[in-house]
Amino acid sequence: RMLEVRSLSVEVSGKEIIKDITFSAEKSENISLIGTNGAGKTTLLRAVSTLLKHSGSVLANGVEVASMSERERAKLISFVPQGAEITGDFDVSHFLELSRYPYRKPWEQLSAEDKTAIEKALELTGTRKFLSRKIGTLSGGERQRILIAGAIAQDSEILLLDEPLTYLDPVQRIGISEIIRKTAASGKLVITVTHEINEALVFSDRILALKDGRLVFDGTPDELVKSGELKTLFNSDFMTFGAFEKGKSLVFPQFDQV
């Protein structure tokens, strides 16, 4: 298995946030992680990336991630946190070069492999036109694409993205969701925390749903809609569900009933 999470629990300040979660995932899977605020989504992602202490096991290709060196982990897992800021007044090209740090010694010149990885990231994200731009001049949507490009250039097998669609307009959300889909299709395992249910249902291969720190659903978008779990998950009667068709939005609030 590319990723195995076994009996994972996380306690913060004496409170159990993640409770005995187990799942596995393979390459080329595009997985959305959904749930209400406080369900434990970000905590789970941070624990999988070993940024938080936890009980249980997280294995990548059969090896315990916590036992790896920092460089070894970086080659396996890249994590883009919510609201990540790129500090420093430098060009996008410089940022993408820095993303290759697991494979380079300090001040070492880019290798042919480095350049190929960066080219692949530019192609997947459509960001070549931003190469000479300063990071600080990019819009929110452009910056998000560059952050994802950096994670792709890092060439980790597993990409963990925490709320990459937040504060983006509908066109930008669709664009980023398509980039995520293409990245998974290229052979990566991508797990994305999101509150955008339409994008999760339309673009994902698989959905994991958390409620009160527990994994309460693991299946396809079609199975989630047919199960009726969405209303239970979000404690809401004010949602309408149409017939599921890949590529179409189908969930929307019914504000006239509130």
Side-chain angles (χ1 to χ4, degrees):
R1 300 284 187 177
M2 178 169 281
L3 178 68
E4 289 185 79
V5 176
R6 300 176 179 171
S7 301
L8 185 72
S9 296
V10 177
E11 189 175 288
V12 178
S13 300
K15 181 180 180 181
E16 194 174 32
I17 306 298
I18 295 297
K19 305 168 184 177
D20 194 30
I21 288 180
T22 295
F23 70 92
S24 61
E26 298 287 3
K27 68 177 183 178
S28 299
E29 281 197 276
N30 181 16
I31 300 173
S32 286
L33 182 58
I34 68 171
T36 58
N37 287 333
K41 303 183 299 299
T42 294
T43 300
L44 175 58
L45 221 59
R46 288 172 63 83
V48 169
S49 65
T50 71
L51 292 175
L52 284 178
K53 290 183 178 180
H54 59 268
S55 61
S57 298
V58 178
L59 298 94
N61 297 323
V63 180
E64 186 73 52
V65 176
S67 70
M68 299 176 183
S69 69
E70 183 179 343
R71 283 182 180 268
E72 287 174 331
R73 284 198 302 270
K75 291 177 182 179
L76 276 170
I77 299 175
S78 56
F79 174 56
V80 179
Q82 180 180 359
E85 290 293 334
I86 310 171
T87 58
D89 186 28
F90 47 82
D91 295 341
V92 167
S93 59
H94 185 201
F95 171 74
L96 294 178
E97 290 172 10
L98 291 174
S99 299
R100 295 294 298 167
Y101 80 93
Y103 311 93
R104 301 165 59 203
K105 296 177 181 178
W107 312 113
E108 188 176 30
Q109 294 293 316
L110 290 178
S111 66
E113 185 178 354
D114 293 327
K115 293 176 180 178
T116 297
I118 291 171
E119 283 297 313
K120 179 181 178 181
L122 292 170
E123 180 68 26
L124 276 171
T125 58
T127 51
R128 188 180 307 280
K129 59 187 175 184
F130 302 131
L131 267 180
S132 61
R133 292 271 300 276
K134 296 288 186 183
I135 294 293
T137 68
L138 301 175
S139 69
E142 291 168 346
R143 191 176 297 113
Q144 196 62 264
R145 288 167 68 183
I146 294 302
L147 285 166
I148 295 173
I152 295 170
Q154 189 175 319
D155 203 23
S156 306
E157 296 183 57
I158 302 167
L159 276 71
L160 306 177
L161 308 176
D162 190 10
E163 294 282 10
L165 308 182
T166 301
Y167 305 127
L168 302 183
D169 65 39
V171 173
Q172 291 173 325
R173 289 201 303 269
I174 291 171
I176 297 297
S177 297
E178 182 63 20
I179 288 170
I180 293 169
R181 186 194 65 76
K182 288 180 179 178
T183 301
S186 74
K188 307 295 185 184
L189 165 60
V190 186
I191 302 178
T192 304
V193 168
T194 184
H195 283 290
E196 303 298 337
I197 301 303
N198 279 323
E199 280 75 7
L201 292 172
V202 171
F203 288 94
S204 303
D205 304 315
R206 178 179 168 193
I207 291 180
L208 303 179
L210 297 188
K211 187 176 180 66
D212 298 326
R214 297 188 184 278
L215 184 64
V216 296
F217 179 85
D218 179 358
T220 66
D222 186 42
E223 290 168 341
L224 178 60
V225 172
K226 289 178 179 177
S227 72
E229 284 291 332
L230 273 173
K231 288 186 178 182
T232 302
L233 186 65
F234 292 96
N235 299 314
S236 176
D237 292 325
F238 305 115
M239 302 183 81
T240 292
F241 306 90
F244 179 75
E245 289 184 57
K246 205 70 170 169
K248 293 184 179 181
S249 297
L250 67 154
V251 181
F252 53 91
Q254 295 293 284
F255 295 111
D256 58 329
Q257 299 182 43
V258 178

